Amino acid sequence: INTTILDSLIYSGSSQPTGFGAFRNNFSFKNILLSINISYKYGYYFRRGSINYGSLFTDWTGHSDYFLRWQNPGDEKFTNVPSMVYPANGSRDQFYLNSVVLVEKADHIRLEDVRLEYFMDKSMLKKLPVNQVTFYLYGVVNTLLWNANGSDIDPYYNGNETPGKSLAIGVNVIF
């Protein structure tokens, strides 16, 4: 029977943000409006991915930490990535993948979306039967501006998928 001593467990913190919010700023000049949405999340942690030798040997699924692995005696002084052994030991992989060395702060600031508008009102549209026409360009940017882990890992996606980006062009007509 495997038993875990509770005193040996390490609580790093919440895996969900304990604080979050957003700022939307609107900048206008004459008939042009620029709207920018910046969000933030803080007070939480995530476990980053790393090498899984079982996946490497069976699915040829690798990770860049492979190049940071322990290869020679003394390497333990500068790396936490375990050495490669063949055949792979699934328990060894899981022990490492669930270890505290892979826990990182997830606090971050993100540029969510941008909207650019140009509008014309009735004074500019005298010959048309409309009150206002707005042309807009809206982009979901989803770009990480800052993160607390100091690496290029986006804590929201953790390397599992690419942040979605989209672009919409439209016209809004008010009669």
Side-chain angles (χ1 to χ4, degrees):
I1 296 177
N2 292 334
T3 59
T4 301
I5 301 168
L6 292 179
D7 291 341
S8 68
L9 296 177
I10 298 172
Y11 177 71
S12 299
S14 175
S15 64
Q16 296 296 316
T18 58
F20 57 90
F23 297 101
R24 178 171 295 279
N25 285 317
N26 292 325
F27 305 96
S28 61
F29 178 74
K30 296 187 180 183
N31 293 12
I32 299 173
L33 175 71
L34 176 65
S35 177
I36 299 172
N37 183 25
I38 297 174
S39 68
Y40 61 91
K41 295 180 182 179
Y42 64 89
Y44 74 117
Y45 295 81
F46 75 106
R47 190 177 317 274
R48 65 179 173 83
S50 189
I51 188 71
N52 179 333
Y53 293 113
S55 294
L56 178 65
F57 297 149
T58 58
D59 303 329
W60 293 94
T61 305
H63 191 277
S64 60
D65 283 357
Y66 174 82
F67 299 104
L68 303 174
R69 73 190 184 283
W70 187 6
Q71 298 178 61
N72 300 304
D75 285 354
E76 70 276 8
K77 293 177 184 171
F78 64 87
T79 186
N80 290 317
V81 181
S83 62
M84 181 176 66
V85 294
Y86 187 84
N89 180 330
S91 296
R92 182 176 185 254
D93 283 347
Q94 288 308 306
F95 182 83
Y96 170 64
L97 292 172
N98 289 296
S99 70
V100 72
V101 299
L102 296 177
V103 173
E104 303 271 353
K105 284 189 68 65
D107 303 1
H108 67 277
I109 300 172
R110 169 183 314 283
L111 175 60
E112 296 280 353
D113 58 77
V114 177
R115 181 179 174 110
L116 181 63
E117 295 181 4
Y118 176 77
F119 66 91
M120 296 182 292
D121 60 15
K122 189 67 174 167
S123 67
M124 302 168 76
L125 304 167
K126 292 177 184 170
K127 294 184 180 183
L128 296 177
V130 298
N131 290 323
Q132 182 176 328
V133 176
T134 303
F135 299 93
Y136 67 88
L137 181 66
Y138 175 76
V140 175
V141 182
N142 217 346
T143 300
L144 194 63
L145 298 176
W146 172 85
N147 65 41
N149 63 55
S151 65
D152 289 334
I153 301 171
D154 188 333
Y156 195 74
Y157 296 97
N158 195 10
N160 293 327
E161 55 190 74
T162 304
K165 297 179 191 287
S166 64
L167 183 65
I169 298 172
V171 177
N172 186 18
V173 179
I174 299 174
F175 289 93

